[in-house]
Amino acid sequence: MRTKLVYFALGLVLLSPTIILGSAAQENQPEKLVLWVDIKEFIGPGTVDHMSLAVQEVSDGRYSAIVLGIDTFGGSVDSTFRIISSIQSSPVPVIGFVYPAGKQALSAGTYILMATDLAVMAPFTKIGSAQPVVGGIPVNDTKTINTLLKEMQGLAEIHDRNRTQLSRFITDNDNLLAEEALRNGAIELVASSMDELLELADGITVMTIDGEVVLDLDGARFVTFQEVPRVTIIRALSDPILSSLLVSIGILILILGITSPGFGAEIGGVVLLILGLIGQGFNVNYGALGLMGIGAALLIFELYTPSFGVLGVGGSTALPTLLSASPRRLPDGSVRLNSNENPLGISPAARQAIIEGLDLCNRYPGASRRPVEEALAEKHGVETKNILLGNGSTEVLQIFVQLFGPEVRIVAPDPTFEDVLRYAKAISVRLEGVPLRADYSHDLDRMREVVSKWSGPSMVYICNPNNPTGTVTSSADIDSWIGVAPDNVYFLIDEAYLEYAEDAPGYWSALKWIPTHPNVIVVRTFSKIYGMAGMRLGYGIAHEDTIERVGFIAARNNANHLASVAALASLEDHGLIARSVDVNRRARAILEETLDDLGIEHLPSHTNFLMHRITGDQKDYRDRMRERGWLVGRDFPPMLSYNRVSFAMPDDMVRFSETLRTFRSHGWV
């Protein structure tokens, strides 16, 4: 008996480290968190900001999933598409849950639910009624309906849902209760509570836009994502009835104040008008709110204080700053389709970084440049000594074009990005333009022939994808030339639009040549996919010997502090590229379908713009478009029978497409 006790005790001693270690390992396992995000009431700009901030919140790796608690009767098409883009760019799976029992996800809510990776409804909840409505009247325009159908059918394909049923939400305004939606293949689960949702969803394989993911939700805990005050204010103002009332009443009071001066009614009218416009989509920030208060006070003082109008001018200057410029429209309401800009604007993370970075604007930017160089080096698998920052990619192009002085010959496609040609002419560099091939790709054979006739240094400019045509040139053909080119033939490869073209057949970056070939320079920008055109930041990637060689040309502080902090935040916003590419893809599809429907010739696009044929004079065409609120592309000789159009938000492209139809009926395109 004693022997058995000894063996038993010895066994406990031997097992105890395992037990203790096992317990410690369990304690050290990170807690599983699920972020609960309310998507409720009217879907507007406030909801867009709330969703975007939520996606940023889960990017730190602490969360297993996002659950959207949906309870809405609908909202704007633009805001809905932006939320879908945020869902598709989320680094973790997104579950849509129409909750609690008896609630609804109608119209815009149905689109959002169908965009989620797992669609769930509580008992007695309802989805459907997805036909668009304007002013209370259903939209029956074929073009608009077809665009929305394609969006819904695309979501059905991604998530393997019943394509026919999802289409009927739009064409027949179908409404389904939870059990009906489950039977008809529109959703995956019905859950009575949040806890039951986690239990049922655990272990399910969902199809995200990036591929299959198995949900790991066993023992997970919900964390509610709180609205920031700015979002709460904008969401309240976004109510269509309230925003319309504020605008209407504001105009009436403003007129009353102007016709009956002395009571300060115009101040109240201006404030109500501004609040109503915010609710209809204008951007706002706390600094602007403060300026609005200052402006109102100055105008009131002007009414009662003789000051030769100085106070009134100050007040009228301060008030409009509340309406910060929309990334989509100019102050006169026009939409820019002429500069290949990102209609989404900068990343919310970049916006916050700029605000936080203002305190250091009195300092030179050296300290803020270094983290950007390190982040870019890590992103591209090179060293910081391979990175050259510039005041936009245009400055980087200028530095390399002017590196050798007048003795170099530059060979470039025609047409292409004009700045390179302009920089060459400024220092009397000999320039050889080579017409594009019939498929609008670079004629590399002809370019090689031109280079071979010159014994001195040559620089070959390759814009791939090309601006203004939007077409790509075979990367294999470019590689073949680089591989046999002599050391004094330099390749300046402009990849400003690379992120939009990575799905183009036969296209890839030229970065692989950087470690071994000092004669290859790759140029990138933050202006396009990152939406930072106004901040001016680009960069070159080259062999360290080449970067060192241009060091005496480049300005030391050419990348400013705010651009640097915004760039770093943009690089860390892992969903930004996916959001931008998705919006671009949908906008391009809308325009291409319209052009094909109208029989208008257009070039294949792998960028955020395309070229289409027009009839008549370019200036007349631009003037007619400007009269209708559209700013379209400039002349690109020799392609004067084509106009370049940059892609805007999908709903803007729907409206632009209607303008094209009108132009077609007049024979202008």
Side-chain angles (χ1 to χ4, degrees), residues 21 28 63 70 84 87 89 104 175 267 284 288 305 314 317 335 367 378 405 434 506 530 556 566 581 615 632 634 644:
L21 288 172
N28 290 332
Y63 292 89
I70 308 174
I84 291 174
I87 291 170
S89 66
Q104 59 193 358
N175 280 250
I267 304 301
V284 65
T305 305
T317 302
V335 179
E378 181 180 359
V434 176
Y530 293 106
R556 290 181 60 189
V581 169
T615 301
V632 295
R634 60 190 182 275
R644 191 190 70 182

Side-chain angles (χ1 to χ4, degrees), residues 96-109:
F97 189 21
V98 188
Y99 179 83
K103 298 298 182 179
Q104 59 193 358
L106 299 178
S107 191

Side-chain angles (χ1 to χ4, degrees), residues 18-193:
T18 305
I19 296 170
I20 294 170
L21 288 172
S23 175
Q26 290 178 355
E27 290 177 4
N28 290 332
Q29 287 181 353
E31 182 181 18
K32 295 177 187 175
L33 300 177
V34 173
L35 191 66
W36 178 275
V37 182
D38 282 313
I39 303 293
K40 58 186 179 182
E41 299 173 1
F42 182 79
I43 305 298
T47 323
V48 174
D49 284 356
H50 189 51
M51 185 67 207
S52 178
L53 292 170
V55 170
Q56 289 184 49
E57 175 71 14
V58 300
S59 63
D60 60 6
R62 294 183 300 131
Y63 292 89
S64 301
I66 294 176
V67 174
L68 305 182
I70 308 174
D71 175 19
T72 178
F73 56 86
S76 78
V77 172
D78 174 46
S79 295
T80 301
F81 280 172
R82 289 188 177 217
I83 290 171
I84 291 174
S85 294
S86 289
I87 291 170
Q88 293 176 339
S89 66
S90 171
V92 300
V94 180
I95 301 170
F97 189 21
V98 188
Y99 179 83
K103 298 298 182 179
Q104 59 193 358
L106 299 178
S107 191
T110 299
Y111 288 94
I112 293 170
L113 180 66
M114 294 301 105
T116 60
D117 305 316
L118 186 70
V120 188
M121 297 174 66
F124 308 110
T125 55
K126 182 170 60 175
I127 60 175
S129 295
Q131 182 181 3
V133 175
V134 175
I137 301 174
V139 175
N140 292 301
D141 171 61
T142 304
K143 178 66 178 179
T144 303
I145 295 297
N146 287 343
T147 299
L148 295 175
L149 274 174
K150 282 186 176 295
E151 179 72 23
M152 189 69 88
Q153 290 166 357
L155 296 174
E157 184 176 344
I158 292 171
H159 301 294
D160 195 24
R161 297 187 183 122
N162 187 330
R163 179 188 176 102
T164 302
Q165 177 58 68
L166 268 61
S167 299
R168 290 181 61 187
F169 287 138
I170 300 172
T171 57
D172 301 342
N173 265 327
D174 260 13
N175 280 250
L176 298 179
L177 293 174
E179 295 294 343
E180 296 173 311
L182 183 64
R183 285 197 304 271
N184 289 6
I187 64 171
E188 285 74 52
L189 294 174
V190 174
S192 300
S193 66

Side-chain angles (χ1 to χ4, degrees), residues 584-605:
N584 192 74
R585 173 186 58 79
R586 290 190 278 115
R588 181 178 63 203
I590 292 167
L591 182 56
E592 287 179 337
E593 182 180 346
T594 299
L595 293 170
D596 290 341
D597 188 36
L598 295 175
I600 299 174
E601 180 190 348
H602 63 90
L603 275 56
S605 172

Side-chain angles (χ1 to χ4, degrees), residues 63 97 105 132 163 221 272 322 360 363 389 442 501 545 666:
Y63 292 89
F97 189 21
R163 179 188 176 102
R221 176 173 66 86
L272 291 177
L322 178 66
L360 291 178
R363 304 298 183 188
L389 297 183
H442 294 18
D545 294 343
H666 290 294

Side-chain angles (χ1 to χ4, degrees), residues 42-50 79 227-240 242-243 275-286 289 324:
F42 182 79
I43 305 298
T47 323
V48 174
D49 284 356
H50 189 51
S79 295
E227 281 187 349
V228 298
R230 176 179 179 273
V231 168
T232 303
I233 293 170
I234 296 177
R235 192 170 58 79
L237 293 174
S238 296
D239 181 279
L242 176 59
S243 63
L275 292 175
L277 290 173
I278 291 170
Q280 294 181 5
F282 285 84
N283 293 329
V284 65
N285 56 61
Y286 292 121
L289 284 170
S324 57

